[in-house]
């Protein structure tokens, strides 16, 4: 029987060797974030104030029971379908514009660069112009586009569809181009060098290699468009968000509760559908 006991480890071996750098990074983060928190007047302890707690309780207790009369549920059903249609139509329009713009931006499909170190000046300027167009489209939030189109085309889902189409065109075009450029360029380059067109090189080389990733990102953006459609309803773009805004202005907590439940179910169904579609495409 071995009666020997192991010697205790020195204190230096038990100390985290990176503790100084961790503390330094923590202090640096505090120094950088503190002015930002001060500028935004971020005071989470105000939530625990007695007056805030009382106001929150008065607001939340009106949520129960949720409104469930047949006439109101029918209105919610119509608004929900309008939200889905707005998101789907907006993403479809965005796709129709984003795909050709992504092909223009994609340097791998440049015919002018065949056998040269770089592409010609005119095609390069064209690509840069399209890149800046995509930057402009995605830089303006869909809510701002919705406010603009509500003034142009009036209240209703048309403004939401146009807002989603413009913003998501910029997002989809940028990411599509990056996904295509991350694929192996040898196949598309070989097709172009043998006389194939840009479209043929895309369809037979770039697209098969990136199809799954392109589809996955498109579905994700469709989910985001559904959530964005609800938000744009608060500025008059129709759908579930506009109904919710009207109920909140009338302090109808039961109606707001019902629409929140419907919205959560809608997002859950969209997520389940996207997961099923991703598995089908895998």
């Amino acid at each position: 029987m071995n009666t020997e006991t192991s010697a205790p480890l020195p204190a230096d071996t038990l100390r985290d060797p990176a503790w100084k750098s961790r503390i330094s990074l923590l202090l640096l983060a505090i120094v950088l974030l503190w002015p930002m928190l001060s500028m935004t007047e971020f005071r989470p302890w105000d939530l625990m104030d007695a007056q805030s707690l009382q106001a929150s309780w008065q607001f939340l207790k009106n949520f129960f029971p949720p409104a469930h009369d047949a006439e109101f549920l029918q209105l919610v059903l119509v608004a929900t379908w309008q939200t889905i249609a707005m998101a789907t139509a907006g993403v479809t329009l965005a796709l129709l514009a984003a795909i050709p713009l992504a092909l223009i931006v994609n340097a791998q499909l440049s015919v002018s660069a065949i056998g040269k170190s770089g592409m010609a000046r005119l095609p390069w300027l064209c690509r840069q112009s399209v890149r800046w167009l995509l930057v402009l489209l995605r830089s303006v939030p869909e809510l701002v586009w919705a406010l603009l189109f509500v003034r142009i085309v009036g209240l209703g889902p048309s403004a939401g569809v146009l807002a989603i189409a413009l913003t998501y065109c910029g997002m989809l075009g940028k990411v599509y181009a990056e996904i295509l450029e991350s694929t192996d360029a040898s196949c598309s380059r070989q097709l172009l060098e043998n006389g194939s067109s840009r479209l043929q090189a895309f369809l037979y080389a770039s697209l098969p290699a990136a199809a799954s990733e392109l589809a996955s990102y498109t579905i994700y953006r469709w989910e985001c468009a559904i959530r964005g459609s609800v938000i744009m309803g608060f500025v008059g773009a129709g759908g579930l968000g506009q109904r919710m805004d009207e109920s909140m202005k009338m302090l109808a907590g039961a109606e707001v509760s019902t629409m929140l439940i419907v919205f959560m179910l809608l997002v859950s169904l969209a997520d389940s559908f996207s997961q099923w579609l991703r598995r089908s495409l895998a």
Side-chain angles (χ1 to χ4, degrees):
M1 181 176 181
N2 187 10
T3 58
E4 294 183 0
T5 57
S6 58
L9 295 174
D12 292 340
T13 60
L14 298 176
R15 185 180 301 168
D16 184 1
W19 70 272
K20 291 183 179 179
S21 60
R22 296 180 197 277
I23 293 177
S24 300
L25 289 174
L26 178 61
L27 293 175
L28 179 62
I30 293 173
V31 169
L32 293 176
L33 289 175
W34 185 257
M36 299 179 187
L37 294 176
S38 300
M39 185 177 294
T40 55
E41 300 180 0
F42 180 67
R43 295 188 295 267
W45 50 86
D46 288 348
L47 296 174
M48 298 296 106
D49 182 70
Q51 186 175 356
S52 299
L53 291 174
Q54 180 66 21
S56 300
W57 169 247
Q58 291 293 332
F59 180 70
L60 291 174
K61 75 176 185 179
N62 294 327
F63 276 36
F64 303 98
H68 55 276
D69 58 282
E71 184 179 358
F72 176 71
L73 291 178
Q74 185 176 3
L75 290 175
V76 171
L77 182 62
V78 172
T80 302
W81 175 245
Q82 198 174 59
T83 296
I84 297 173
M86 189 193 312
T88 305
V91 170
T92 302
L93 290 177
L95 276 172
L96 294 177
I99 292 174
L101 292 178
L103 293 181
I104 294 174
V105 170
N106 186 6
Q108 289 186 3
L109 299 177
S110 173
V111 178
S112 64
I114 296 177
K116 303 176 184 177
S117 57
M119 64 184 68
R121 184 171 183 80
L122 184 60
W124 182 84
L125 289 174
C126 179
R127 280 172 174 77
Q128 293 303 313
S129 300
V130 173
R131 284 185 184 276
W132 280 107
L133 174 62
L134 295 175
V135 169
L136 171 64
L137 292 177
R138 68 176 183 270
S139 296
V140 181
E142 60 264 40
L143 188 61
V144 177
W145 285 121
L147 283 168
L148 176 64
F149 284 118
V150 161
R151 294 184 176 274
I152 295 174
V153 302
L155 298 174
S158 295
V161 171
L162 292 171
I164 291 173
L166 288 179
T167 301
Y168 281 56
C169 173
M171 294 178 181
L172 292 173
K174 173 185 181 294
V175 177
Y176 284 175
E178 291 179 351
I179 291 174
L180 292 172
E181 287 180 351
S182 66
T183 59
D184 185 10
S186 58
C187 294
S188 58
R189 181 61 58 190
Q190 195 168 19
L191 287 174
L192 292 173
E193 289 175 351
N194 284 279
S196 298
S197 65
R198 289 168 53 87
L199 184 60
Q200 289 174 326
F202 166 70
L203 292 175
Y204 295 105
S206 300
L207 182 59
S212 178
E213 194 171 354
L214 290 172
S216 178
Y217 183 75
T218 304
I219 296 166
Y220 167 71
R221 274 297 156 198
W222 176 70
E223 292 180 44
C224 295
I226 290 178
R227 292 189 288 270
S229 299
V230 175
I231 297 172
M232 285 184 290
F234 282 85
V235 297
L240 200 58
Q242 187 167 347
R243 288 290 178 188
M244 189 180 298
D245 182 47
E246 294 170 357
S247 296
M248 291 184 71
K249 288 177 179 177
M250 294 186 295
L251 301 178
E255 294 181 1
V256 174
S257 177
T258 299
M259 285 184 279
L260 285 175
I261 292 171
V262 171
F263 181 51
M264 287 188 290
L265 291 174
L266 180 62
V267 173
S268 177
L269 288 173
D271 182 64
S272 299
F273 173 73
S274 65
Q275 287 181 4
W276 170 80
L277 197 55
R278 287 189 186 99
R279 287 195 297 267
S280 302
L281 294 172

